[in-house]
Amino acid sequence: MDLHIQRDELIRGLGRVQGIVERRTTNQILSHVLLSARGDNLRLTATDMHHTLVGDHPSRVIEEGELSVDAGTLFQIVRALTEPTIQLVTGKGNRLTIICGKARFNIVGTNGDEFPPLPARDDQTSLTVSGGDLRRMIEETLFSISTDDNRFDLNGAHMEEVTNEGGEPRLRLVTTDGSRLSWSESAYEGEFRMGRTMLLPRKGLAELRKFIENDADTWKIAFGERSATFTTTGTTLMVRLVEGQFPDYRQVLPMGLKRRVVIERDRFLGALKRVGIMASDRNHSVSFAFEEDRVILTAQNVDSGDVREEIPADLEGAPLFTGFNVRYFQDILGATRSEKLQLELGEALDPCLVRIPERQDCLFVVMPMRL
């Protein structure tokens, strides 16, 4: 293998694989990236056996070939170089020579034949969605995936097809950790036709979010019996689906809530940050007193002290005193962009529905806390 590639392009490709490779593993090959020079591209492949990333990067290939090397070491070297063009050459003993200006590195690699083969694909159906919509769906749901390894049914994001009020099919992503729930949806083209429950893994979605660089790019999503593949120009991410039966989330969506509160987003977020400083380290509980024209937030910590703050709000319905985990609202506000937030409430121990005014494509549910 002998090729020339732009430093910035190589940094971009190697930066992407860092989240895929296994750093602490007994199988050293899983910490490697496979370099494959073919045609006018350098292909970078990385896998942890559950997620596989394949990226093609333009380069001037003089001699084709392939070699796998430690992904972290190569990334550090390339970032430390300063010239705009880098030459990669393989030599005897599976060594990779990196040449940039007056700098010359030699690192030990592994024959490409020893790198794990790409997972077999059993695509049964596929659809397309814009990069902007896909990124938004991930951002608005990723934070509420359960991190409890014992809850296999909640350790991923559920994807399904729904129909909006106008009869148009929509793609919906739903997540929950048992204390909160999020869903976000978008238009799509193609056929969904999935016959079984599937859960997209947290890590896969988090990495996919990083790869979406352009809102206008089109992403193809192909589903198999046990895998999903996300593809756009020059990038393919294959993920193994999480085994688990996602619960019927519609059963926890509260109906007929009697109270509605509209709050300015920035004021609410600022107050949550300040009050959260004094919230309990264990459960981050904060008291919410909803009154006619304001919301009063209070928190106390036996070791630190207490805090009280009020912000303007418009309440429809009777006053209410209840409690919530302050971080749940912070996560929602961090994942969305709007001038105002709408809270729909029942009684003190009823779930809270959180909506973005004038948007029908996302919804959040936050369970209350006993104070």
Side-chain angles (χ1 to χ4, degrees):
M1 178 175 66
D2 187 353
L3 63 88
H4 296 260
I5 186 171
Q6 292 297 305
R7 171 182 175 272
D8 290 346
E9 183 67 20
L10 187 54
I11 287 177
R12 171 175 169 266
L14 291 172
R16 285 180 159 197
V17 308
Q18 300 307 305
I20 301 294
V21 296
E22 288 283 356
R23 300 191 180 279
R24 298 179 180 178
T25 175
T26 56
N27 187 354
Q28 186 181 18
I29 200 69
L30 297 183
S31 65
H32 280 208
V33 57
L34 178 64
L35 312 175
S36 304
R38 297 285 188 275
D40 56 0
N41 281 303
L42 171 64
R43 170 167 290 186
L44 304 180
T45 304
T47 185
D48 64 1
M49 305 307 292
H50 295 277
H51 310 78
T52 300
L53 173 65
V54 179
D56 290 327
H57 304 274
S59 60
R60 183 166 63 88
V61 177
I62 299 171
E63 181 180 345
E64 296 185 344
E66 64 179 18
L67 182 73
S68 80
V69 296
D70 185 84
T73 300
L74 181 58
F75 188 41
Q76 290 184 55
I77 292 172
V78 173
R79 285 195 301 175
L81 299 174
T82 57
E83 296 298 320
T85 303
I86 294 175
Q87 182 179 7
L88 303 179
V89 183
T90 54
K92 294 180 179 180
N94 292 321
R95 289 183 176 270
L96 177 68
T97 300
I98 304 114
I99 305 170
C100 184
K102 299 296 184 180
R104 185 185 185 98
F105 288 84
N106 291 290
I107 59 176
V108 178
T110 302
N111 192 293
D113 292 340
E114 298 182 25
F115 196 81
L118 292 179
R121 295 177 56 174
D122 59 347
D123 300 346
Q124 300 173 3
T125 184
S126 65
L127 55 89
T128 58
V129 62
S130 73
D133 285 339
L134 183 57
R135 175 168 53 200
R136 174 182 56 78
M137 291 170 63
I138 295 172
E139 289 177 344
E140 293 178 344
T141 56
L142 184 65
F143 61 85
S144 57
I145 295 178
S146 175
T147 57
D148 183 353
D149 292 335
N150 295 319
R151 293 299 308 271
F152 298 108
D153 54 339
L154 305 182
N155 283 165
H158 171 66
M159 186 173 280
E160 65 178 5
E161 181 189 50
V162 298
T163 304
N164 64 11
E165 294 180 356
E168 301 171 334
R170 307 277 288 180
L171 188 67
R172 177 180 290 180
L173 202 61
V174 191
T175 63
T176 181
D177 61 8
S179 297
R180 53 182 167 172
L181 180 145
S182 310
W183 64 251
S184 181
E185 63 184 43
S186 76
Y188 75 95
E189 296 181 357
E191 295 184 344
F192 189 73
R193 291 192 304 116
M194 283 302 298
R196 66 188 292 270
T197 298
M198 61 177 181
L199 296 178
L200 297 167
R202 183 194 314 108
K203 176 180 175 178
L205 289 176
E207 294 304 315
L208 177 62
R209 164 62 185 85
K210 300 175 186 177
F211 305 155
I212 303 174
E213 300 173 338
N214 192 327
D215 289 354
D217 287 344
T218 297
W219 281 80
K220 178 181 177 182
I221 308 175
F223 303 111
E225 183 67 20
R226 299 181 181 276
S227 64
T229 303
F230 300 84
T231 307
T232 192
T233 303
T235 302
T236 298
L237 176 66
M238 292 169 276
V239 301
R240 183 185 300 177
L241 300 177
V242 177
E243 293 293 334
Q245 181 71 35
F246 196 74
D248 184 0
Y249 67 93
R250 291 175 176 82
Q251 292 184 352
V252 304
L253 298 180
M255 305 293 290
L257 299 177
K258 302 176 182 179
R259 297 170 175 85
R260 179 175 300 172
V261 182
V262 178
I263 309 177
E264 291 186 14
R265 177 189 184 277
D266 291 343
R267 285 191 174 187
F268 190 34
L269 180 58
L272 291 172
K273 289 180 178 178
R274 291 186 290 274
V275 174
I277 295 173
M278 287 295 181
S280 167
D281 295 334
R282 184 174 61 86
N283 54 22
H284 311 291
S285 61
V286 168
S287 301
F288 287 66
F290 296 96
E291 299 185 357
E292 182 179 358
D293 59 354
R294 61 182 178 171
V295 177
I296 302 172
L297 306 176
T298 57
Q300 59 182 358
N301 189 309
V302 293
D303 298 319
S304 304
D306 58 77
V307 61
R308 179 186 186 277
E309 182 164 350
E310 61 181 67
I311 55 175
D314 296 323
L315 170 64
E316 295 180 13
L320 177 70
F321 181 80
T322 185
F324 295 102
N325 184 322
V326 66
R327 291 194 174 180
Y328 291 171
F329 286 103
Q330 289 177 306
D331 287 342
I332 294 171
L333 291 170
T336 58
R337 299 292 179 267
S338 64
E339 293 184 359
K340 295 184 178 181
L341 200 69
Q342 179 176 300
L343 311 181
E344 297 179 15
L345 302 150
E347 301 304 325
L349 296 180
D350 289 337
C352 172
L353 273 184
V354 183
R355 300 183 188 272
I356 308 300
E358 301 180 358
R359 279 188 60 188
Q360 303 297 320
D361 57 3
C362 67
L363 181 71
F364 310 93
V365 180
V366 178
M367 300 299 291
M369 303 184 71
R370 291 184 180 273
L371 300 174

